Amino acid sequence: MDISRLMVYVQQVEDEKLRDREEFRSKRVKTGNESGQQKVWCNSDIISVIQSGVFWYIMMICKLILQLSDTETNTAKIIVSPIIVGMENDNRIVVGGSSDDLPNNNNDSNDNNSLDSGSVGTQPKKKRKEIAPRSKVWNHFDKVVENGMCGAKCRYCHQFHTYTSINGTTALNQHLARCSIYKSIIETTSQSKINFSSTNARAPLWKFEQEVVRKALVEMIIMDELPFDFVEKEGFKKFMSQAQPLFRIPSRRTITRDCYALYSELRYNLKKSFREIQPKICLTTDTWTSLQRINYMCLTAHFIDRNWVLHKRILNFCPISSHKGEQMAEAIGNCLLDWNLDNVFSVTVDNASSNSVMITELSKQLDMWGTNIMEGNHLHMRCMAHILNLIVQEGLKEIDISVKRVRQMVRYVRSSLARTRNFVKCCEVQKIDCSKTLSLDVPTRWNSTYLMLEATQNFEKAFDRFDLFDEHFKTYLSTHICEDGSIAGTLACDDWANVRSVVKFLEKFYELTIKVSGSHYVTSSVHFEDICELDVYLKLCLTSEDLNLKNMADGMIKKFKKYWGTPDKMNSMIYIASVLDPRNKFVYVSFGLEELFGEENGKKVDKQVKAYMETLFEDYLRKYSKESQYQSSPSRSTLSDLSDSSSSCSQNSRTKALRTKLHMKKQKENSGSGAAKSELERYLKEDQEPKHDDFDVLSWWKVNAPRFPILSELARDVLAIPISSVASECAFSTGGRILDRFRSSLTPKCVQSLVCAQDWLRKEPNSICVEESLEYLEKLELEMANNGRDSCIVDV
């Protein structure tokens, strides 16, 4: 090998490299391969020289060879291994091994001196401190060497890319932007979750949003009647830290403001809906007194929309100065003005005397507004649920002593857990297999009394033998004083017979009360039918051989006749709603009136009802005729303009004007009273629909509304009448007690916001049955007692 020629060639390459570098600096343009151009030549040994900065090392090696080799033989023994140039940031090369075997560029002078002095291999090798990469792309790539080439491998898809410090990381960033695995990881870290509850083939992604979750929290507090400081409880904070740590829990003051904001939003949307559909509304109202002695009035609107769907919305839950009729009428009038509602068709209230005064004052207000239909003759609708309650309470007086004794027995058993255990043991001994549990009644609510008696009759044998398991049982019954100051005493055989007969007798009243208390289905169409069936049932009980049952029916039928015994005390809409039920019409109403009031009085009332319905129908006819004329007013104005300018019009235009006038005259004749009366007559003459339980009266009118356009408008308003004010009472609580200590501690404005927003958010009422809740708790306590886990419960 000719070493001298090699050194000359290396020197020429080094000079060329220096010129390229100077040109690069002057132009400040990245030339890539020009500054690192590779030179390759072939001899007996193959030497590849690439990358700037390596030629100095080649010259040093050549000098070392000349110093150590005096003969060609020694020279021939030198084998220069192929040079693999590693393109790193420190510009080092690897000669047959790692870069650590070569000196560092920063120590050029020291290495030169050491080579010249021939002290090769005696000086320690210095390692340059590795510089940390500055680009963020190296958080996603690893530097590797594959097949003799340096590059970078993606940590996600493991794809290899060649990399040089000169070319930079542009290619790596471009790969990262299109890497599918990296994109999916980014979407996951941004809180996108798969909604596994979806049944679609492609499950949508759920993305966490602070405001959406916060609004859902506000709705939960309103709907479930939770206190505002619920969000500051430790249990809720711990739960949210596990369920969604990113959610920032608001304070109770923020929750209060959010409740007001949600109420305002829902109220605006509801007012907008009323403005669009302009319905005739039927009202229910009732009053309540809070623990703070504040009188509240709840006003609920019922209406049927254009799609024949019955709706119920609480309009107001406001404080009133007193329960007097004048103040209540004033409060209702102000509420209607605030909501821009003046078309009131009926008002359903209980039998308090103040309500009669309120209806009279409200009727005067509607007269001033010009919206009082039929001079308010059918405005006052009495609550059927309240009347049923009065009738049943009258009948329970006949067996009051038996009810007291049952109440005392149930109270004794339920007063402690130890007594409940003994009663369960007694039931097991007597082999009583009944899933029901004992429930204590509320004396002012007869339905709870019925449920107590109905459950107690199943444990007759257990009560007869319970003194063997509890020696104090009979002593308690014989000495304990009841609420009215009397002593009930022990239960006798006649008492159990009374209980069984009363339960069977009250079952019909209980089912009827549940039926008429609904607010999400039509109740007015079956109101008259229920009254007739109840009258027949009470008359049948009067002929019973059971003396107690006969006495009960006698007292109840007197109370029945007080409210439904004479036609003057009954609202005419009770009959008309039944006529507008296609299963009844006047065929059933006429027959029912004769059975209820007698044949002579029944026929007289029947004529009065027919006359009232025709008058009411004519009133609707005039109203909708005016609306049709108002809609055709542009045509009349056009006709007037044509007649005013008749002198300048041609004969053709006069002919068109006359034809327009003739067309309007025909329309008026077609929409006259004769055609309208035929519409009512056609409905009454058609056959009745077959009677079945799943018949939907609103669906029938929705289908047949095109055949009876005016009569259907009357049916829309009449069928929306609720026959019970229980819908308003439900606003006071999901279980009957909304104004508890928490609600009573709030301001009236806050109470109104919570009650109204709760009603608007709920699609259907989810009433909490107290009896079912108590039954579940009692079973749970007994299971805990049997498992020995009730050590914390102190027996009385």
Side-chain angles (χ1 to χ4, degrees), residues 487-657:
I487 297 177
T490 58
L491 203 66
C493 297
D494 294 339
D495 294 324
W496 285 117
N498 293 337
V499 168
R500 285 189 292 270
S501 61
V502 168
V503 168
K504 185 178 180 180
F505 176 70
L506 294 182
E507 183 178 3
K508 183 175 183 62
F509 291 87
Y510 179 75
E511 295 175 352
L512 182 59
T513 302
I514 295 177
K515 177 183 177 182
V516 302
S517 300
S519 59
H520 290 270
Y521 52 86
V522 176
T523 56
S524 58
S525 61
V526 294
H527 189 15
F528 179 70
E529 182 179 354
D530 293 335
I531 294 175
C532 294
E533 293 292 335
L534 189 59
D535 178 66
V536 173
Y537 182 70
L538 290 175
K539 290 178 180 179
L540 182 63
C541 291
L542 285 175
T543 60
S544 175
E545 297 179 356
D546 189 340
L547 184 60
N548 290 326
L549 185 61
K550 185 177 181 179
N551 293 334
M552 286 181 60
D554 183 61
M556 295 171 72
I557 203 167
K558 291 179 181 179
K559 185 69 69 170
F560 176 90
K561 291 185 178 296
K562 179 180 179 180
Y563 296 102
W564 295 322
T566 58
D568 298 337
K569 296 180 180 180
M570 297 179 66
N571 194 318
S572 300
M573 287 301 152
I574 297 177
Y575 316 120
I576 294 178
S578 182
V579 172
L580 292 175
D581 189 334
R583 297 170 295 178
N584 298 334
K585 300 185 178 182
F586 266 114
V587 176
Y588 179 86
V589 172
S590 300
F591 178 77
L593 289 173
E594 294 180 4
E595 292 292 325
L596 186 62
F597 303 116
E599 183 176 358
E600 183 179 355
N601 291 333
K603 292 181 179 180
K604 185 185 299 184
V605 175
D606 183 55
K607 293 180 180 179
Q608 295 175 358
V609 172
K610 290 181 179 179
Y612 190 86
M613 186 171 185
E614 291 179 357
T615 306
L616 180 63
F617 183 75
E618 290 177 358
D619 186 78
Y620 270 74
L621 175 62
R622 288 191 297 269
K623 175 187 174 183
Y624 287 98
S625 297
K626 290 180 180 179
E627 289 184 359
S628 62
Q629 293 175 7
Y630 176 78
Q631 294 175 357
S632 61
S633 59
S635 300
R636 296 200 305 269
S637 61
T638 304
L639 180 60
S640 177
D641 295 339
L642 287 174
S643 60
D644 292 339
S645 58
S646 59
S647 59
S648 59
C649 291
S650 61
Q651 185 67 25
N652 188 26
S653 63
R654 292 195 191 97
T655 305
K656 290 183 178 180

Side-chain angles (χ1 to χ4, degrees), residues 406 409-411 413-414 420 423-424 427 432-441 448-459 463 769-783:
V406 171
M409 290 192 308
V410 174
R411 180 181 286 113
V413 174
R414 290 173 52 87
T420 304
F423 187 76
V424 171
C427 293
I432 298 176
D433 185 14
C434 181
S435 60
K436 296 182 179 180
T437 58
L438 299 177
S439 60
L440 190 62
D441 72 327
S448 63
T449 303
Y450 164 76
L451 294 175
M452 180 189 68
L453 298 176
E454 197 270 336
T456 306
Q457 68 174 352
N458 298 289
F459 301 96
F463 278 110
C769 181
V770 180
E771 290 78 15
E772 292 180 357
S773 301
L774 291 176
E775 180 179 350
Y776 170 75
L777 292 176
E778 289 172 354
K779 288 182 179 179
L780 183 61
E781 290 178 359
L782 289 176
E783 291 177 0

Side-chain angles (χ1 to χ4, degrees), residues 717-786:
D717 299 335
V718 173
L719 296 178
I721 299 176
I723 63 175
S724 172
S725 62
V726 177
S728 294
E729 293 175 350
C730 289
F732 298 111
S733 173
T734 53
R737 299 176 305 276
I738 195 169
L739 292 184
D740 53 9
R741 294 185 181 273
F742 167 64
R743 291 290 186 264
S744 297
S745 64
L746 303 176
T747 62
K749 181 179 179 181
C750 187
V751 172
Q752 174 176 319
S753 301
L754 294 176
V755 171
C756 293
Q758 182 190 56
D759 178 75
W760 300 339
L761 288 173
R762 285 178 173 175
K763 295 181 179 179
E764 294 181 357
N766 300 317
S767 300
I768 299 175
C769 181
V770 180
E771 290 78 15
E772 292 180 357
S773 301
L774 291 176
E775 180 179 350
Y776 170 75
L777 292 176
E778 289 172 354
K779 288 182 179 179
L780 183 61
E781 290 178 359
L782 289 176
E783 291 177 0
M784 294 174 62
N786 295 332

Side-chain angles (χ1 to χ4, degrees), residues 647-702:
S647 59
S648 59
C649 291
S650 61
Q651 185 67 25
N652 188 26
S653 63
R654 292 195 191 97
T655 305
K656 290 183 178 180
L658 290 175
R659 289 186 178 277
T660 304
K661 187 175 181 179
L662 178 61
H663 178 69
M664 291 178 60
K665 183 178 179 180
K666 288 183 177 181
Q667 280 188 336
K668 187 176 181 179
E669 291 176 354
N670 292 334
S671 60
S673 59
K677 285 185 177 179
S678 64
E679 178 181 324
L680 177 60
E681 292 173 356
R682 279 189 289 110
Y683 168 77
L684 296 176
K685 289 182 179 180
E686 288 182 358
D687 294 336
Q688 299 169 265
E689 294 291 332
K691 182 73 174 180
H692 51 84
D693 296 335
D694 57 347
F695 180 83
D696 189 355
V697 63
L698 294 182
S699 298
W700 189 92
W701 278 105
K702 181 180 180 180

Side-chain angles (χ1 to χ4, degrees), residues 6-29:
L6 177 60
M7 291 181 62
V8 172
Y9 184 83
V10 169
Q11 187 64 40
Q12 293 177 354
V13 174
E14 181 68 11
D15 295 340
E16 182 179 355
K17 183 264 300 180
L18 291 175
R19 287 193 301 271
D20 294 340
R21 182 178 296 176
E22 292 297 329
E23 183 179 357
F24 170 79
R25 289 177 179 176
S26 61
K27 295 181 179 181
R28 294 188 179 275
V29 178

Side-chain angles (χ1 to χ4, degrees), residues 159-198:
Q159 185 175 350
F160 178 80
H161 292 270
T162 58
Y163 162 75
T164 63
S165 60
I166 298 175
N167 292 337
T169 59
T170 303
L172 302 183
N173 284 318
Q174 291 176 353
H175 168 76
L176 199 63
R178 62 176 179 268
C179 181
S180 58
I181 300 178
Y182 174 70
K183 288 182 179 180
S184 62
I185 294 176
I186 289 296
E187 293 177 355
T188 304
T189 55
S190 64
Q191 295 300 321
S192 293
K193 304 296 181 183
I194 298 179
N195 183 9
F196 291 99
S197 62
S198 176

